[in-house]
Amino acid sequence: MKAFAAATIFLAYLLNAPSSYAAEVASRAPLVQHGQVLRGEFVQHRHLAGFGAPLRSTGQFSVAPGEGLIWKSLVPIPTTVAISLHGLVQTSGGTELMRLSAVQAPQFAQFYRFLEAALAGDWNALAERYDIVTSRDGEGHVILLRPKNGGGMLPFESVTITLDRFVTGIVIDRHGGDSDRIRFSGIAVDEGGLGDGERTLLESTAQ
Amino acid sequence: MIGLFRALWVGVVIAALVYLGFAVADGLRFDTDMLALVPPAEQEPEYRAAVNALSADFERRFVLLVGGEDDRNAIAAARIVARAVEGTGHVERNTALSPSGARSALLDLYLPYAGQLLSSDDRRRLRQDQGEAIAQRALAQIFSPASFATSRQIRQDPFQLLPAFLASLPPPPMREARQVGPDQIYSDEAGRSWVLLDYRLLAEPYALRVQRRIESALASAERDNGGAPVLRLGTLFFAQSGAETSLREMSLIGGASLAGIVALLVWTFRSIGPVWQSVLALLTGVVCAVAVGTALFPRLHVVALLFGTTLIGTTIDYCMHYFCTAFGPGGASAQARLRHILPGVILGVVTTLIGYAALVLAPFPGLRQIAVVSSAGIAAAALTVLLWFPVLNRRITVSRGRLPMSIAGLAYHWLRRPRYRLVRSCLAMGVVVAGMAGIALLQINDDIRTMQAADARLLDEQRRVREITGLAPALQYILLAAPDHGAALQREERLRSRLERLRGQGAIDGFTMAASFIPSPARQLEDRSLVRQKLEGPMLARQRAHLGLLAPKAPGREVSGDTVLTFEESSVSLPFLKNLAVTTEDGGLFHVVPLRGVKDEQAVQRAIVDLSAARLVDPVGGVNKLLADYRRWAVGILALSVGLMFALLVWRYRLLGGVRALFAPVAAIVLTPGLLALVGHSFSCFDAMALILVLAVGADYAIFCAEASQAWRRVTLLAILLAALTSMLSFGLLAFSSNFAVASFGFTMLVGVLLSLIFAPVAFARPTRPPK
């Protein structure tokens, strides 16, 4: 009887072993290559402990691997954030609100690397800084990231990414009980690359 | 009568010894502070104390980087190194460097004061009634995915003034390390991990015992680690390397010099007597010199002591002349020998003292001390020769000097035979022409950095540590005196705008100041009032509504009343701030503003000229200026000495005789730098100081030649030859030192003494009237 129970537990473990999914997910090539741009829309709910309701914002994003990320909120505050390895520029209505170099605020460069890898599905890049546990969710996958070595400069407790072909959602649980829940839709790979305005904006992060 | 003087001199020397003994028992210490050599008018004691306190702190700190293939290996290796180094009991861990974790520490520190810490841009916006833009920026940031603001931070700082303030802070002085547990880890370009160990020495960094203990602990840890690399950075390691090299050189050069001198004297006089008697003369000179120096100066400087006592070494000439008189034609009577050398010794001592006394005119404390110490020492050593040698040295017989005398005879023969005149003239002209040609090539060198022969391995390790960590010590800084930290911060704020302008103009690359991290109390109160008036009053309720903040709280702050963030509070959370302030032993407070990449020092000086509490400190530049000043003064004093000597020699030998007597020392001091320039040697303060010695020995040689009658010339030549050989053996061998200062001194002495020897016989020519 004991042997049967042990065999059952072992079989159940094998069937649910995350490593089998991990291998499958890790074997995927990144969804977007250099020269391409991943574009889509987002709805973000920021849950802040002690606040009456989550802060909701919606907008569009563009990720160009190696070049940068543009996060364009439309509601409630029209604002654009461009982040690259060189720094961050935030504008609203054509007015620059904030500019930070990667030297001043290296955490933004780390955040850019994280978000670019997560949206582009570059799991190997994420595996350098996170322990990755994958599991299946219907037709899609759920990927749980836990920061290695304390997480570096990003105050993340854990990150949960859901994906089918593209990433459909990211939940970032932060230290202190705050969390961001971002749903993505309409994601597509733009073979045409960045537009001139986008390129100028990203290049401006290096100034 | 002479017996009375002799006894009196014994009493004086004993008195000097007793005085010195008491001084040592009272804890006689020599000044090692380089700034003490600066003219008093330029010293400003309070700033000097601050500079010394900073230097002392800098010299006690050292950094180790322990490497490994990955974090785990590097941490394991660092544990072993830390255990070994800390096991010496000479060190404590320093946290002041650690930038890692500084970001979260900054947030925790600043958050309660968020409503009174403004970036200069935000301050300007509020003054221009642009609070709306700040409120909009805050909302945009909070809604952005790239926001790192926590709910607590947003509640306390709904206008997000703090992120803007944080963004306005200067970049950290070092690269940010990864914090892995208690360890700070850097990665190099090859992906190797390095653990930073930052220490402060509890013991004297220049104590060789301490240096060896730490180095031995490191070596043993490296063995235990199987060769895991350890990179060193700190004064300690360079000091140890320099000390070990000096010790090796001292034993080698000193040993060779001593052996050569002893062999030369024993061979010449076939007796050990001249050896110990010479040592006795020099020792009485040194004892009297130090006693007089200690009595006249509150604290004798170690540089003056070393150089002053070195000058006493020239009195070996008088010893040689006395010993050689035994081979003279007038018999071996002690009194006869004394009578023969008396005029030469007196004239030699007087000309030398005239030269050194001129040093007293210099405004530099070091030169004045050298003048007193060397004058007292030379007079004392000469008195020992004159008063004691006739009693101590009676036994040298003429027969023992046959061989040395025949060598001197050969030299004299070559000098006086007319058929060698052409050769002699050509050789002399050749030396003069070469020396004069070299003067055209002469390069002046006052840069202390080019004079340091630092260990190449340590230099390489230092470069690697700086590459990996970004740690770069500021070579220049501004000191700001203030009654308290609040006033110091306020003065820094006045200075800041000027330094920012200089940075914009490219005069400096950057600067670090405490006021960049903690606004002065006055500014915090002013900013708080501005925020309340222009931001919180008209917009706080709307902002909170936008954010869905439920319970209203005290606007933006946890602190109340007139509470301000203080330097003391900040330096607990941000220990690196402690490096930006220094308190002297007498309680004087100074803030330190390190400058990076100073391109235009004059522009910095101009920018602070009306800030009475600010001083630009350039330790390297200060030493270079000091070296240049001492070099110039030494050369000036050489010229003055030559003038005074000439007057004395003209009085003694008339005009032509005076010119002949002065020819050798002047030729030596003029041609030596030129000849050395031909082989690429630059002229520094150390060469100039050596020339003072060359002038003294050159004058001695020439005076004894001028004093020598026909019958005594071979004896005089032998004495000069012996004096020159002993000088070259004792000083000239220093040319082989790896230390630039010592080698420069040695080179100049070697060539200068040789030239003095070559040209001294010019003074043999018959004077226009017999000597008085």
Side-chain angles (χ1 to χ4, degrees):
Chain A
M1 190 60 187
K2 276 184 183 172
F4 176 75
T8 308
I9 291 167
F10 183 63
L11 189 63
Y13 171 76
L14 279 183
L15 287 173
N16 289 288
S19 57
S20 56
Y21 300 120
E24 182 191 335
V25 171
S27 66
R28 287 185 175 194
L31 299 167
V32 56
Q33 308 295 328
H34 278 270
Q36 300 175 327
V37 181
L38 192 72
R39 299 185 192 280
E41 295 175 350
F42 70 87
V43 177
Q44 175 183 294
H45 287 90
R46 168 154 292 171
H47 294 260
L48 295 169
F51 281 56
L55 304 179
R56 182 177 185 276
S57 59
T58 61
Q60 299 157 347
F61 72 90
S62 307
V63 181
E67 296 185 79
L69 164 75
I70 297 172
W71 194 268
K72 195 171 182 179
S73 296
L74 300 172
V75 176
I77 312 289
T79 175
T80 302
V81 181
I83 318 176
S84 74
L85 288 176
H86 305 296
L88 171 149
V89 172
Q90 189 168 31
T91 57
S92 179
T95 306
E96 184 176 305
L97 297 175
M98 184 174 248
R99 170 181 293 277
L100 291 170
S101 73
V103 177
Q104 286 174 298
Q107 69 272 30
F108 287 110
Q110 273 196 26
F111 180 73
Y112 160 65
R113 279 201 195 92
F114 158 76
L115 208 55
E116 180 194 81
L119 288 169
D122 189 351
W123 312 116
N124 289 329
L126 287 171
E128 288 175 13
R129 288 187 175 269
Y130 298 88
D131 291 320
I132 300 180
V133 178
T134 60
S135 57
R136 200 181 288 279
D137 178 23
E139 291 302 306
H141 300 279
V142 176
I143 298 169
L144 179 65
L145 308 179
R146 287 195 185 278
K148 293 176 179 174
N149 295 331
M153 297 174 193
L154 302 182
F156 296 170
E157 196 87 51
S158 66
V159 178
T160 308
I161 301 171
T162 52
L163 70 156
D164 42 34
R165 183 169 171 239
F166 294 108
V167 172
T168 55
I170 295 179
V171 177
I172 301 172
D173 289 307
R174 299 172 186 249
H175 298 304
D178 298 340
S179 65
D180 287 340
R181 294 166 188 278
I182 314 171
R183 299 295 306 169
F184 298 98
S185 59
I187 297 182
V189 176
D190 180 353
E191 300 287 345
L194 289 168
D196 290 343
E198 291 173 319
R199 190 175 303 283
T200 306
L201 186 58
L202 286 175
E203 283 172 358
S204 74
T205 60
Q207 290 166 6
Chain B
M1 188 65 180
I2 190 87
L4 179 66
F5 281 126
R6 201 166 279 148
L8 204 60
W9 183 236
V10 171
V12 170
V13 173
I14 290 173
L17 260 175
V18 170
Y19 176 79
L20 214 53
F22 276 115
V24 170
D26 280 351
L28 173 68
R29 283 178 69 90
F30 298 109
D31 204 344
T32 54
D33 175 9
M34 286 298 281
L35 290 174
L37 298 173
V38 172
E42 299 174 22
Q43 280 191 13
E44 298 191 300
E46 65 277 24
Y47 285 88
R48 184 178 142 199
V51 170
N52 286 341
L54 284 166
S55 300
D57 185 59
F58 178 77
E59 285 165 0
R60 282 173 185 270
R61 290 180 63 182
F62 68 94
V63 162
L64 302 172
L65 275 188
V66 186
E69 288 307 315
D70 52 28
D71 289 2
R72 198 172 53 81
N73 284 327
I75 289 169
R79 293 273 186 280
I80 293 173
V81 172
R83 201 162 44 242
V85 173
E86 287 159 29
T88 62
H90 291 319
V91 300
E92 64 178 7
R93 281 294 270 277
N94 195 359
T95 53
L97 261 184
S98 321
S100 177
R103 199 166 301 278
S104 58
L106 279 173
L107 271 173
D108 289 343
L109 173 72
Y110 291 141
L111 195 54
Y113 304 93
Q116 59 199 52
L117 302 173
L118 290 180
S119 69
S120 52
D121 277 351
D122 282 358
R123 189 176 302 113
R124 180 181 50 76
R125 282 184 177 133
L126 289 179
R127 282 176 182 159
Q128 294 172 357
D129 289 321
Q130 295 175 3
E132 183 62 36
I134 292 177
Q136 285 299 307
R137 180 190 67 192
L139 292 175
Q141 280 171 11
I142 293 167
F143 279 91
S144 158
S147 168
F148 289 91
T150 64
S151 48
R152 178 173 162 244
Q153 289 160 12
I154 295 169
R155 268 201 309 275
Q156 289 187 226
D157 182 19
F159 293 103
Q160 292 290 279
L161 298 168
L162 197 50
F165 174 76
L166 289 174
S168 72
L169 298 182
M174 286 175 72
R175 289 202 187 95
E176 198 154 354
R178 282 181 287 122
Q179 191 79 36
V180 180
D183 297 297
Q184 291 165 32
I185 301 188
Y186 288 87
S187 299
D188 64 14
E189 64 288 348
R192 182 185 280 265
S193 298
W194 297 90
V195 175
L196 176 80
L197 299 174
D198 181 14
Y199 286 110
R200 188 173 187 281
L201 263 180
L202 300 170
E204 174 56 47
Y206 294 104
L208 195 55
R209 180 182 55 85
V210 174
Q211 296 167 353
R212 284 181 170 160
R213 190 90 195 276
I214 304 255
E215 195 52 58
S216 147
L218 279 170
S220 117
E222 281 181 292
R223 277 195 304 276
D224 293 348
N225 272 332
V230 179
L231 304 178
R232 300 155 172 81
L233 173 65
T235 305
L236 167 78
F237 305 114
F238 285 100
Q240 193 217 356
S241 167
E244 299 285 5
T245 307
S246 298
L247 280 176
R248 270 197 308 276
E249 285 179 356
M250 268 172 62
S251 54
L252 194 68
I253 296 175
S257 162
L258 187 66
I261 291 171
V262 169
L264 181 69
L265 295 186
V266 170
W267 175 79
T268 306
F269 300 108
R270 301 289 195 274
S271 162
I272 197 73
V275 176
W276 71 259
Q277 285 151 14
S278 302
V279 171
L280 178 72
L282 295 178
L283 273 181
T284 52
V286 170
V287 166
C288 292
V290 180
V292 170
T294 310
L296 291 185
F297 297 104
R299 212 162 174 200
L300 204 53
H301 201 284
V302 73
V303 169
L305 181 74
L306 285 175
F307 192 72
T309 49
T310 304
L311 289 172
I312 299 167
T314 58
T315 50
I316 191 86
D317 300 358
Y318 309 140
C319 303
M320 294 304 116
H321 282 289
Y322 183 82
F323 298 141
C324 286
T325 50
F327 306 142
S333 141
Q335 294 311 318
R337 291 167 67 189
L338 178 63
R339 267 198 304 278
H340 177 71
I341 65 156
L342 193 59
V345 171
I346 290 176
L347 204 57
V349 169
V350 171
T351 50
T352 306
L353 292 192
I354 282 176
Y356 294 168
L359 290 170
V360 177
L361 300 174
F364 295 91
L367 289 179
R368 277 207 291 274
Q369 291 190 3
I370 289 170
V372 170
V373 168
S374 58
S375 299
I378 287 168
L383 281 173
T384 303
V385 172
L386 296 176
L387 295 173
W388 292 356
F389 276 25
V391 177
L392 298 172
N393 188 282
R394 296 167 182 270
R395 293 185 187 167
I396 297 171
T397 53
V398 179
S399 60
R400 288 175 181 170
R402 271 186 199 135
L403 186 55
M405 282 301 289
S406 57
I407 293 171
L410 276 176
Y412 184 61
H413 175 72
W414 190 81
L415 283 170
R416 65 188 290 266
R417 291 300 288 266
R419 64 171 162 151
Y420 298 130
R421 183 174 289 160
L422 185 63
V423 181
R424 287 198 305 265
S425 303
C426 286
L427 282 175
M429 283 307 290
V431 171
V432 171
V433 168
M436 298 308 282
I439 287 173
L441 302 173
L442 199 63
Q443 297 276 333
I444 303 294
N445 182 8
D446 298 317
D447 190 348
I448 188 77
R449 285 168 297 192
T450 64
M451 301 180 189
Q452 292 164 335
D455 185 313
R457 181 183 61 94
L458 286 175
L459 281 176
D460 189 52
E461 289 185 11
Q462 173 179 274
R463 182 186 54 77
R464 288 282 292 141
V465 171
R466 289 181 177 166
E467 272 174 7
I468 294 168
T469 63
L471 177 66
L475 298 176
Q476 285 131 310
Y477 53 88
I478 291 171
L479 271 182
L480 274 172
D484 54 54
H485 286 297
L489 291 170
Q490 210 164 349
R491 288 174 185 180
E492 283 185 19
E493 283 162 354
R494 281 190 67 197
L495 178 64
R496 186 177 176 177
S497 56
R498 301 172 188 219
L499 293 180
E500 279 168 352
R501 198 164 52 246
L502 288 177
R503 185 169 53 193
Q505 292 164 356
I508 59 172
D509 284 348
F511 61 91
T512 307
M513 62 168 57
S516 300
F517 298 91
I518 326 141
S520 66
R523 175 153 288 178
Q524 289 184 52
L525 294 175
E526 185 190 326
D527 285 352
R528 182 193 297 172
S529 160
L530 199 60
V531 168
R532 281 181 179 164
Q533 196 185 341
K534 306 278 183 162
L535 211 53
E536 291 178 349
M539 292 173 225
L540 183 62
R542 193 192 67 192
Q543 190 82 347
R544 296 176 68 84
H546 271 306
L547 294 170
L549 263 170
L550 296 178
K553 287 193 66 170
R557 295 185 300 107
E558 282 184 344
V559 292
S560 58
D562 290 337
T563 311
V564 291
L565 178 62
T566 62
F567 183 91
E568 290 86 348
E569 184 187 356
S570 308
S571 56
V572 173
S573 303
L574 305 173
F576 68 87
L577 289 177
K578 289 176 191 160
N579 293 338
L580 300 178
V582 62
T583 307
T584 58
E585 278 177 6
D586 55 0
L589 174 71
F590 294 83
H591 273 208
V592 186
V593 181
L595 305 175
R596 290 191 304 280
V598 176
K599 311 279 193 314
D600 185 352
E601 193 178 313
Q602 293 304 315
V604 180
Q605 288 284 17
R606 281 195 300 275
I608 63 169
V609 73
D610 62 325
L611 299 177
S612 60
R615 297 287 182 282
L616 174 65
V617 181
D618 176 6
V620 174
V623 172
N624 290 352
K625 181 176 177 297
L626 196 62
L627 291 179
D629 288 344
Y630 270 73
R631 175 181 53 74
R632 277 192 283 268
W633 271 96
V635 171
I637 281 161
L638 268 175
L640 183 64
S641 300
V642 167
L644 293 172
M645 278 181 182
F646 183 59
L648 190 71
L649 295 175
V650 167
W651 169 78
R652 175 77 178 162
Y653 306 118
R654 297 226 169 149
L655 184 64
L656 196 59
V659 170
R660 282 185 179 135
L662 205 58
F663 182 78
V666 170
I669 61 170
V670 170
L671 298 177
T672 299
L675 290 174
L676 289 175
L678 288 178
V679 294
H681 182 81
S682 54
F683 187 74
S684 71
C685 157
F686 305 104
D687 298 282
M689 299 303 268
L691 286 183
I692 293 178
L693 227 84
V694 169
L695 180 67
V697 297
D700 278 348
Y701 298 170
I703 285 168
F704 276 98
C705 284
E707 291 291 331
S709 62
Q710 192 77 26
W712 280 87
R713 284 185 177 176
R714 285 192 310 145
V715 174
T716 302
L717 261 188
L718 177 63
I720 293 171
L721 197 61
L722 287 174
L725 283 173
T726 50
S727 289
M728 285 192 276
L729 281 169
S730 53
F731 298 123
L733 284 183
L734 297 177
F736 297 101
S737 169
S738 62
N739 181 298
F740 179 89
V742 176
S744 290
F745 195 84
F747 266 127
T748 299
M749 281 302 292
L750 193 64
V751 177
V753 169
L754 193 62
L755 290 180
S756 299
L757 176 68
I758 290 171
F759 289 117
V762 171
F764 271 145
R766 184 187 293 276
T768 52
R769 67 170 189 173
K772 287 175 185 173

